[in-house]
């Protein structure tokens, strides 16, 4: 689906690894803005309910990772995974799944997700406020294509996954390029 939307401007608090720092936690704080992630490039952003959760960890994130090269062939500069989790959780999650290509964006406060209109309550699962599952193709900060899972609602009893899958996003990109 095509939509006219600009990504909101927010500041993300991230942690960056620096091997020159002593101790068991060689990271420093770095603020990255929406402009740092989205300006001047064409990206796929996918957002999911949480790091270390079953569908997110076992399907969505590794499938985007494995199809990274195919997305590059379609003119995608970066693939970003965003979740309403803090930088510590996102870094540990990325390390645990051996990410090489997909970049993780911690939306710890949920500000970006709220401003995208995708913040939902997941109190029924003990999560609190989280992102609804969606993906988007974003060109220089403008949403070019939108892939939102059906059933958007607070405390949804199901966890739909398919519309925002990398296979569906890639199929849509290929069809658009062929048109």
């Amino acid at each position: 689906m095509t939509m006219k939307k600009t990504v909101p401007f927010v500041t993300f608090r991230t942690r960056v690894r620096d091997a020159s720092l002593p101790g068991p936690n060689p990271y420093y704080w770095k603020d990255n803005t929406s402009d740092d992630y989205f300006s001047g490039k064409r990206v796929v952003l996918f957002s999911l309910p949480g790091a270390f959760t079953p569908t997110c960890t076992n399907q969505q994130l590794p499938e985007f990772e494995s199809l990274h090269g195919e997305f590059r062939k379609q003119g995608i500069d970066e693939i970003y995974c965003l979740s309403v989790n803090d930088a510590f959780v996102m870094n540990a999650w990325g390390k645990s799944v051996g990410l090489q290509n997909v970049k993780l964006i911690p939306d710890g406060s949920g500000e970006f997700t709220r401003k995208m209109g995708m913040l939902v309550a997941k109190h029924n699962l003990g999560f609190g406020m989280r992102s609804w599952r969606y993906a988007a193709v974003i060109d220089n900060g403008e949403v070019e294509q939108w892939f939102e899972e059906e059933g958007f609602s607070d405390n949804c009893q199901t966890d739909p996954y398919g519309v925002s899958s990398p296979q569906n996003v890639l199929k849509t990109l290929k069809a658009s390029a062929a048109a």
Side-chain angles (χ1 to χ4, degrees):
M1 168 195 240
T2 302
M3 68 184 310
K4 202 77 157 144
K5 182 178 195 140
T6 303
V7 296
F9 185 85
V10 301
T11 299
F12 301 94
R13 295 281 289 158
T14 68
R15 300 280 290 163
V16 177
R17 190 174 198 308
D18 181 348
S20 71
L21 295 174
N25 190 11
Y27 292 83
Y28 64 90
W29 285 106
K30 181 177 182 198
D31 289 347
N32 286 324
T33 67
S34 300
D35 286 348
D36 294 321
Y37 290 113
F38 303 109
S39 289
K41 51 188 122 166
R42 187 168 182 235
V43 306
V44 169
L45 169 70
F46 67 101
S47 189
L48 39 77
F52 295 105
T53 58
T55 302
C56 306
T57 302
N58 299 327
Q59 289 178 272
Q60 197 168 21
L61 181 59
E63 290 170 356
F64 269 103
E65 176 75 10
S66 69
L67 290 170
H68 178 265
E70 294 300 311
F71 280 100
R72 295 287 298 196
K73 290 176 187 173
Q74 297 303 312
I76 298 300
D77 299 308
E78 298 284 357
I79 300 175
Y80 299 128
C81 172
L82 182 134
S83 184
V84 180
N85 289 116
D86 62 57
F88 296 101
V89 169
M90 294 297 275
N91 283 349
W93 187 37
K95 185 176 179 181
S96 77
V97 297
L99 281 186
Q100 297 294 314
N101 300 302
V102 173
K103 295 184 177 149
L104 302 176
I105 302 176
D107 187 20
S109 68
E111 181 183 6
F112 184 88
T113 301
R114 179 180 56 80
K115 289 179 177 178
M116 286 293 282
M118 299 307 290
L119 192 65
V120 294
K122 293 230 175 233
H123 303 298
N124 60 322
L125 299 175
F127 288 177
M129 302 303 287
R130 294 293 178 104
S131 179
W132 187 253
R133 194 182 302 279
Y134 70 93
V137 177
I138 301 169
D139 189 5
N140 195 31
E142 297 289 325
V143 174
E144 181 180 302
Q145 295 177 329
W146 186 254
F147 306 86
E148 180 180 327
E149 297 297 339
E150 63 182 45
F152 178 90
S153 62
D154 286 336
N155 299 308
C156 186
Q157 295 300 308
T158 61
D159 182 22
Y161 176 62
V163 173
S164 65
S165 73
Q167 294 85 353
N168 188 54
V169 175
L170 192 56
K171 179 178 82 174
T172 304
L173 283 170
K174 288 178 178 179
S176 295

